[in-house]
Amino acid sequence: VGFITPLLRSVTFGMPVMLPNAICMAFELATYGLVSGILSGKMKKDMRSLYISLIISMLAGRLVWGLVSAIVYALMGFTWKLFFMGGFVNAIPGIVIQLILIPVLVNRLYAAGVVKPAYEGK
């Protein structure tokens, strides 16, 4: 789902631009899903573990985005400044929003009984 979403959005709405943005985002979002899925399956279902999983997933996604960007942008004037700005500085608002909203959403899903945590804190 993470891989196809930016590609489908690019084809449907024209944003993000397919090359280079949607291609790089596809690998990044697929990494988020893969890493967070693996970690959430192996870690306790408490808020501390959720934050750890979320942060590691974001870092892994950014790393993959950087590697794919290096390949895609090689012919387009890729620089480390571009990577740093696009990968981290410009992403800070999204990172902060994710760190606030995702734990709140997961906690609400637990409280509503929609999702049952494997670890109850006992």
Side-chain angles (χ1 to χ4, degrees):
V1 172
F3 186 82
I4 196 71
T5 301
L7 303 176
L8 186 59
R9 182 169 163 78
S10 179
V11 169
T12 307
F13 299 110
M15 288 301 288
V17 177
M18 182 64 76
L19 191 63
N21 296 349
I23 300 293
C24 298
M25 285 175 67
F27 286 95
E28 174 189 15
L29 296 180
T31 302
Y32 285 163
L34 177 68
V35 173
S36 66
I38 290 170
L39 291 176
S40 67
K42 296 195 179 287
M43 299 176 86
K44 295 178 181 178
K45 304 298 188 249
D46 61 357
M47 294 310 284
R48 181 177 171 266
S49 297
L50 176 64
Y51 274 106
I52 291 169
S53 174
L54 187 58
I55 291 168
I56 291 171
S57 298
M58 284 193 276
L59 291 172
R62 289 278 115 179
L63 178 64
V64 168
W65 176 87
L67 294 172
V68 174
S69 293
I71 294 166
V72 172
Y73 290 151
L75 301 173
M76 303 172 75
F78 176 85
T79 65
W80 287 108
K81 181 179 179 183
L82 177 65
F83 166 73
F84 185 73
M85 293 299 291
F88 294 98
V89 175
N90 293 341
I92 288 173
I95 290 168
V96 170
I97 289 170
Q98 288 180 58
L99 288 172
I100 294 169
L101 291 182
I102 290 176
V104 169
L105 176 63
V106 170
N107 199 23
R108 291 290 166 213
L109 291 172
Y110 287 162
V114 176
V115 177
K116 293 217 180 249
Y119 175 72
E120 299 285 340
K122 296 178 184 177

